[in-house]
Amino acid sequence: MDNSSGVGVIDKAAMVLDALEAGPTTLAQLVAATGLARPTVHRLALALVHHRLVARDIQGRFVLGSRLVELASAAGEDRLIAAAGPILVQLRDATGESAQIFRRQGDSRVCVASAERPVGLRDTIPVGTQLTMKAGSAAQVLVAWEDHDRLLEGLNNARFTPTVLAGVRRRGWAQSLGEREPGVASVSAPVRGPSGRVIAAVSISGPIERLTRQPGRQHAEVVCSAARLLTEALRKGND
């Protein structure tokens, strides 16, 4: 079957991506799989690496890039937001603190849903707010389960350490104290897509005076429960 769109460079790039679906691939294997000239394949592959649609593994082989995961996550964002409303309200009411969902977007994390504490001192993070990936419990969650290269990149100039992230992976949740903003504490847990990959973080945040210096001890269980409900909602939405 002719799979040509009539736009040659797009068709060739699609051939490269299709070939990488099978797993890590050398340049020679890409040439063989696509039937394209070696210089053409090399040029296309490097351009796709530039846009993070393709990456290189530790042996230098070409693999599908993390940008594809981000785009797939964005495609699933409507399902995430649709499920988020009542779950975040339950989380806010159970903890008495503002609740949010963050998704990674390039070098930032973006609040895609929130339920604010209605009265009193609160950490207000409106939907659409971009925050750093280098500090805060949600950033810890979004970095902790990344592949090796992106994990190292995430730790560069971060307020958290490899030991902290190892603890996040072991416990299944993260906490922070004044890491992003002085006086603010937070607790976060991972939301997983249908493939099992972490695609978002659900969080509560508020003043340290209220959350205490061990916010996870008080709130991790209910935050993790909200994360599981969101994960289940995404899995059902994919059935």
Side-chain angles (χ1 to χ4, degrees):
M1 185 183 72
D2 182 14
N3 201 28
S4 171
S5 69
V7 182
V9 69
I10 299 295
D11 292 340
K12 290 171 184 174
M15 289 169 70
V16 171
L17 293 172
D18 288 346
L20 293 177
E21 190 175 359
T25 309
T26 65
L27 179 60
Q29 289 168 331
L30 272 182
V31 170
T34 61
L36 299 171
R38 185 184 180 94
T40 300
V41 174
H42 191 238
R43 188 172 67 251
L44 284 170
L46 291 183
L48 291 167
V49 167
H50 175 78
H51 290 288
R52 295 195 295 117
L53 294 165
V54 170
R56 308 290 284 270
D57 70 6
I58 200 163
Q59 281 90 35
R61 297 174 299 180
F62 294 99
V63 296
L64 291 173
S66 57
R67 182 68 184 136
L68 293 171
V69 176
E70 293 168 6
L71 291 170
S73 296
E77 189 174 302
D78 286 347
R79 289 197 301 275
L80 179 64
I81 293 170
I87 293 172
L88 286 184
V89 168
Q90 288 171 19
L91 181 58
R92 178 198 66 193
D93 292 348
T95 61
E97 302 298 343
S98 297
Q100 310 90 24
I101 295 174
F102 292 96
R103 207 173 60 77
R104 182 166 190 161
Q105 195 171 90
D107 295 329
S108 303
R109 53 185 168 102
V110 179
C111 178
V112 297
S114 69
E116 298 289 355
R117 175 186 164 95
V119 294
L121 189 61
R122 59 191 181 270
D123 184 32
T124 300
I125 303 173
V127 170
T129 301
Q130 289 195 349
L131 297 176
T132 179
M133 282 290 294
K134 301 297 184 180
S137 64
Q140 293 174 26
V141 164
L142 293 171
V143 172
W145 283 274
E146 286 281 21
D147 61 41
H148 180 70
D149 287 347
R150 295 202 79 188
L151 185 67
L152 291 180
E153 177 190 314
L155 283 165
N156 187 34
N157 295 322
R159 297 284 303 275
F160 42 81
T161 65
T163 303
V164 167
L165 295 189
V168 171
R169 290 190 296 273
R170 185 178 66 252
R171 293 190 308 264
W173 54 268
Q175 66 178 8
S176 69
L177 297 168
E179 200 174 272
R180 174 180 62 82
E181 189 176 329
V184 173
S186 66
V187 180
S188 299
V191 178
R192 296 179 182 273
S195 70
R197 186 182 177 91
V198 174
I199 63 161
V202 60
S203 305
I204 59 161
S205 58
I208 291 174
E209 287 81 357
R210 219 167 38 228
L211 270 79
T212 76
R213 299 198 70 81
Q214 290 287 335
R217 184 176 296 171
Q218 193 173 349
H219 296 301
E221 188 174 342
V222 68
V223 175
C224 287
S225 177
R228 282 193 296 272
L229 288 172
L230 286 162
T231 297
E232 287 166 15
L234 291 175
R235 191 173 294 133
K236 287 174 185 169
N238 203 56
D239 288 345

